[in-house]
Structure formats: structure tokens, C-alpha cells
Amino acid sequence: MSKRVMAAIVALSVSGGAALAQEVKVGIVLPYTGIGAEFAQQMDRGMELYLKLNADQVKPYTITLIKRDSKAPNGEQAKVVVQELLTQDKVGAIAGFGYSPDAMASAPTVSAGKKLAVITNAGTSFITNLSPDFVRTSFTMWHSGYALGVATAKTLHAKTAVVAYTDYPPGKDSLEAFKNAFEANGGKVIDVIPAGGPGAVPDFTPFFQRAKDEKPDVLYVFVPAGDHALAVAKTYTALGMRDAGIKLIGPGDIVQDIKLQGMGDAAVGLVTMLHYYADLDNPQNRRFVAAWKKEYGAESTPDFMGVGAYDGMAAIVHAVQATKGKVDGDAAVKSLLGWKFDSPQGPIVIDPETRDIVMNEYLAEVVKGPDGKLHQKVIGQIDRVKDECKAQAIGPCAPKK
Ligand code: PHB
């Protein structure tokens, strides 16, 4: 073979290889239908917006999202679509997981597939211990629950609390986190009330009536955001609990930005802790909210789920660049250990020890603004909050040996 022909063949195979490396397929697993459909829309929008606003960061690669519906929040369908994405679609990475059971049920499949899987919502703390391929850009229930437990004792000066929670893993986590911190700071949880599951909004009346009769200083509630949260504020008001001197508090999930205006005056005075509110006043967030409204309509708003997904797509783009488009599992995960990003929520970093996010938490009170709309007034801030369940190595949060 002449040298020239050889060179032509080499050039062809190099450019062929490079062309193949250009497209990175990312499998998206979200509850596009059913009770979590609004979560899916938020996260889908967050991911798409990141790609649109940061097209230059993605080059020379292209990212194709392959979207699959995880349906009901019980993990069954999530596991199936993760398997299909890995074996049939041959995706380079996975992102999503709206509900904890979806991530938990998928963990063995994710591990077998050896591809980076970025969790953009599911908040049960120990999930990241279930697979070395999980990296989380959302939150854990311990970030908000623990921080609020401390603030409830020290800032709100409450002595007694009743906790009502949706009875599945993140609800139990949120309860444990709050109780751990509140009681370590002199408070007492006098009752804990399991209040239905995530698959349907229960009637909260009997649960909250029981809490009212116990006359605590605060009622701490965790429900998955969405329609559950709307019902919480309404039931609290209907039962006259505010007038009875019981303050409603919880993680910011109970005042999700997309639901806030629909809560009306029932939400005024609620005190919550979270890493993101659309009202956060920082340059990144102002740009982010403006871009969101331009893209999805003036009446639309991002919320914490949109931000978790936006940050999650930023993480994936980082991993794609760091691995030169290959996104091979171990290298992709490794590239995110200690990864820092200026998120709309403030600075975030992935803890290299736990593959979980470290971020600021904001204590906020719902107020009515001069525009007649409800807003989150930040009344406290805690910087660089780590997941306390893993820091204290509690139960399954202890590192795997
Ligand atoms: C979860 O299932 O982990 C979950 C869902 C909704 C939330 C928080 C956590 O608002």
C-alpha cells in the first residue's frame, strides 16, 4: 500500500472516530406523566435551558437527551427505563430521578451499567451510597431538615414541635434530620405523624387536627412538593392553626415556587429552609429567572427542581468535556469530585467524599409584596451546608465499607 493511501485511510478512520465521539446521548428519567408530571416539566425545562444558554460550553460535542417516563413514584418503571437506556439506547450518562424510590430501585442497574447517573431531585440521603455512579446536584432532606431544626430552636425560639410527614424514605429522612438537630438544641418533638404516601394527596385534616390538639409551638411538615404542598397550607388555615398560635414550618418543598401564588394568604407567615427560592437576590439567579421567563413565559417560574436539573446538566457538560466526549463511568464520576459551579442558588460543590452536593441553605418567610404577590423574604443564611446524615454516619448514611 502506498504511503499516500495509508495516510488517507488513517485520516478517514480518525475523522470517523471523531465524528462518532461528537454526539453524547444522555438518558433522562423523569415522571413525565402522573402525579409528578409538574416535577418532570420543571426539571426538563431546567436541563433544556442550561443547554440552550450554554451552547458554547458543550462544543465540539452535541448532547442528545433521550427522555423516558418513570411514571408512578414507586421505582418500578424507573428501573425498567434505566435498563433500556443503558442497554438499548447505549447512553453515555443518565440524569433525573424525581422521587427517591425511583433512584433507589434503579441503583443496582446503574451500578451494573457503570455510567454516570446524576440525581437532579430524589432527596433521601443514603441514596448516593447505593451506587458509586450516583452524583447528586439536588439536595438531601438532611440539608434543609437539619438546618431548620437548629433554626427552630435558636432563631424561632420554639420549644415543642409535632412532625407530620409523607410516609416514604425522604419523609422519614426529613423527620430524623429535624428531630436530630431540634432536640440537640434544646427542643422536643412531642409527636410524629405519618400522613399518607407520595402517590396521592391525602386529606390532611385528621393528621393536622391531632397536631392542633397537642398544642405544639410549631408544626413541621414534609410532603413532596406539588399538589401535596397546596393541600398542606389550605388545611393548616382551614383548621385555624395559625390563630391557635401554632407556626407551620418545613423544608421549602412545602412552598414550592410554582405553587406559591396558588396558596394565597394561607401561605403568608410560613417559615421554611431550602437552598433555592426564585426570589433569591444574586446576579446568577436574576439572569436565570429572566432567561426562564423569556423561554417559558412571564407567568412561569423556576423552582428548586428546575435548578437541581440546570445544575445537573452543567455537571454532565463538565463530565463530557473532562472525558473528551467518552463519559466512561469511572472517569466521568471522578471528574465531578470537587467540581464547583456558580449556580443560581449560589456557589455549589460536589463533596469528593460523598458525591453529594454542598450548598447554602436559606431560611425564608412568605410575605405579601407591594405587587400583591407572595414572595420569599430571606431571614437567615447558612453557608456551605453538608449532608449531616453522612457527616454523622447515621445508619445507611455511614460510608460503605
Ligand atoms: C423524593 O422523593 O426524594 C422527593 C420528592 C419531592 C420532594 C422532595 C423529595 O419535594
Side-chain angles (χ1 to χ4, degrees), residues 39 98-101 121-124 139 141 168 170 222-225 253 304-305:
F39 298 4
Y99 291 96
S100 287
N121 193 66
T124 304
F139 56 86
M141 302 319 307
Y168 78 127
F222 165 78
V223 293
D253 308 59
F304 67 94
M305 294 193 184

Side-chain angles (χ1 to χ4, degrees), residues 118-282:
V118 176
I119 298 172
T120 62
N121 193 66
T124 304
S125 177
F126 67 81
I127 289 176
T128 44
N129 285 355
L130 299 179
S131 170
D133 300 306
F134 278 142
V135 170
R136 180 155 41 197
T137 59
S138 48
F139 56 86
T140 80
M141 302 319 307
W142 278 75
H143 283 112
S144 52
Y146 188 88
L148 186 52
V150 175
T152 303
K154 290 195 167 163
T155 310
L156 304 179
H157 305 293
K159 298 267 180 288
T160 57
V162 169
V163 176
Y165 64 99
T166 302
D167 194 6
Y168 78 127
K172 292 177 193 155
D173 243 21
S174 191
L175 153 67
E176 287 307 325
F178 175 77
K179 187 170 151 70
N180 181 304
F182 185 52
E183 297 198 334
N185 286 278
K188 180 90 197 117
V189 172
I190 58 172
D191 194 12
V192 296
I193 308 176
V201 180
D203 179 359
F204 286 104
T205 311
F207 309 124
F208 288 10
Q209 185 61 51
R210 172 167 143 194
K212 186 181 178 194
D213 293 344
E214 291 164 337
K215 300 188 171 46
D217 295 333
V218 299
L219 170 63
Y220 176 96
V221 175
F222 165 78
V223 293
D227 290 341
H228 280 70
L230 264 186
V232 164
K234 291 220 164 87
T235 309
Y236 168 79
T237 302
L239 288 178
M241 294 180 83
R242 186 182 282 103
D243 296 339
I246 301 168
K247 209 168 182 53
L248 177 58
I249 65 169
D253 308 59
I254 67 169
V255 285
Q256 187 186 16
D257 286 303
I258 62 161
K259 292 291 181 199
L260 187 59
Q261 303 310 325
M263 291 180 181
D265 288 349
V268 174
L270 262 64
V271 173
T272 61
M273 183 76 81
L274 203 64
H275 56 284
Y276 182 77
Y277 299 98
D279 277 321
L280 284 186
D281 193 18
N282 69 57

Side-chain angles (χ1 to χ4, degrees), residues 48-84:
E48 295 279 5
L49 190 61
Y50 183 85
L51 291 176
K52 181 159 187 182
L53 297 179
N54 297 280
D56 284 350
Q57 309 278 334
V58 180
K59 281 179 191 158
Y61 310 102
T62 56
I63 291 186
T64 307
L65 304 184
I66 302 183
K67 301 178 183 181
R68 294 282 184 268
D69 187 358
S70 54
K71 300 187 180 169
N74 56 26
E76 278 171 34
Q77 189 62 20
K79 190 168 67 179
V80 172
V81 296
V82 165
Q83 174 96 17
E84 286 173 1

